Amino acid sequence: YLNSNLDLNQFKLPYFLIPGFQKCGSTSLWVNLKKHPQLDLGTKKEIDFFTQNYEKGPEWYASHYTQENKKRGDVSVNYGGAINGNNKILSRIKTMLPNAKLIFTLRDPIARAFSAYNHYMQNLDQSRKHGGWLLPGKSFYENVKEEQKNNFSRGIVKQGFYWDILEKIYENFTKNKVLILKQEDLWNNPSQSYFRIFDFLEVDKINLKYEFSHRRKYESQIDQKSYDLLSEIYKSKNLELKENIGIDYN
């Protein structure tokens, strides 16, 4: 579809995307934004059109949006990680949705990494089968060290190198098309954070009953050795983030 002469205006395609970072609150955004009467968040979360279903075409993509006269949004967290490793994904988004608005939520990268590990351990039978971590079932520290040995080519830690992805976003979309939020703010002051989203999407500011999804219990806290190691790993990456968009996680 990148090279076709197909008129994309005939399809009801998304007005905004939430590409997401893993374990940064995208499910809560999907649940809560669905409640707004001027928004259509599609028939499901993770449509994954630009990653897994692109060959099905824009008509298939548009079929997930059935509500009339609403602004359509696609919450697919896999887009974020895919952009970092595959330039085709960003090209597809920019070509098919050149005027789209993008919303990203960030989270303290150490907390995010440990949350991902905790999620994998609680779903060990299933998570053994995918490449989200290098040493399924092993300790958090062992996984971090193994990823470090492999230059963070894949795994849990890399997902927190936020600026690596956001830099590519800003190279392809103007700043007024991108909204960056902190998950910590969504937790601590949801009304203020969602009002920012509503302003960005140009819809009415309304009060919602906010829900927080996938807040898993922890059997243990992160160990000091892993925390210290990740603090050093993320130090330069966090500095890049602060220098470019003013968010400080150091």
Side-chain angles (χ1 to χ4, degrees):
Y1 299 100
L2 291 175
N3 299 316
S4 75
N5 293 317
L6 189 64
D7 180 12
L8 296 174
N9 292 321
Q10 66 180 297
F11 303 108
K12 296 178 179 178
L13 297 174
Y15 169 73
F16 67 97
L17 299 178
I18 302 180
F21 291 98
Q22 179 200 43
K23 308 307 294 180
C24 287
S26 61
T27 299
S28 294
L29 283 178
W30 184 71
V31 167
N32 291 319
L33 292 177
K34 281 197 303 179
K35 300 174 183 178
H36 196 290
Q38 293 171 286
L39 300 177
D40 179 358
L41 273 291
T43 56
K44 65 175 184 177
K45 180 176 176 280
E46 310 288 2
I47 296 173
D48 281 331
F49 173 69
F50 293 106
T51 49
Q52 302 174 22
N53 298 297
Y54 191 66
E55 74 285 350
K56 296 178 182 178
E59 185 173 4
W60 178 89
Y61 193 18
S63 72
H64 290 81
Y65 300 94
T66 59
Q67 302 179 54
E68 296 293 331
N69 302 316
K70 294 189 177 185
K71 292 184 174 180
R72 298 171 290 276
D74 177 2
V75 182
S76 292
V77 69
N78 290 329
Y79 295 161
I83 287 169
N84 200 22
N86 187 346
N87 289 332
K88 287 183 179 179
I89 305 303
L90 190 53
S91 295
R92 290 171 178 177
I93 294 173
K94 188 178 179 183
T95 301
M96 190 165 286
L97 304 175
N99 298 311
K101 294 189 172 185
L102 291 86
I103 300 172
F104 289 89
T105 56
L106 312 183
R107 178 183 183 181
D108 179 284
I110 297 177
R112 192 221 62 80
F114 191 66
S115 176
Y117 173 78
N118 184 61
H119 181 122
Y120 292 160
M121 288 296 289
Q122 290 181 7
N123 295 275
L124 189 55
D125 288 343
Q126 181 180 355
S127 61
R128 284 186 189 277
K129 303 172 185 177
H130 64 71
W133 51 346
L134 301 187
L135 299 176
K138 297 291 186 179
S139 72
F140 184 55
Y141 182 79
E142 288 174 297
N143 270 276
V144 174
K145 288 295 290 185
E146 187 67 17
E147 291 178 25
Q148 189 177 41
K149 289 178 185 177
N150 287 272
N151 200 30
F152 306 109
S153 58
R154 62 185 178 91
I156 295 171
V157 176
K158 183 180 180 180
Q159 295 286 330
F161 295 167
Y162 300 133
W163 184 247
D164 288 359
I165 295 174
L166 293 176
E167 183 177 24
K168 295 180 181 179
I169 295 297
Y170 283 116
E171 287 172 354
N172 288 273
F173 291 87
T174 57
K175 286 188 176 182
N176 67 323
K177 294 289 187 180
V178 182
L179 176 64
I180 310 293
L181 299 167
K182 295 172 64 175
Q183 188 190 45
E184 294 85 354
D185 293 337
L186 284 161
W187 282 345
N188 296 327
N189 196 337
S191 293
Q192 185 180 63
S193 296
Y194 277 93
F195 279 11
R196 286 186 63 195
I197 295 173
F198 299 154
D199 272 341
F200 180 66
L201 297 178
E202 299 178 279
V203 295
D204 294 340
K205 290 182 181 179
I206 61 172
N207 290 307
L208 301 174
K209 184 178 180 180
Y210 302 108
E211 299 177 48
F212 301 98
S213 304
H214 292 179
R215 299 187 76 169
R216 296 177 177 273
K217 293 182 179 180
Y218 289 81
E219 294 183 5
S220 62
Q221 298 300 311
I222 185 171
D223 61 283
Q224 190 64 46
K225 186 165 62 171
S226 296
Y227 185 89
D228 292 342
L229 176 59
L230 284 174
S231 294
E232 188 61 34
I233 289 170
Y234 283 125
K235 187 175 182 179
S236 62
K237 296 293 184 179
N238 288 344
L239 184 59
E240 286 182 325
L241 190 70
K242 180 182 178 181
E243 289 176 343
N244 284 283
I245 59 174
I247 293 178
D248 187 4
Y249 276 125
N250 270 331

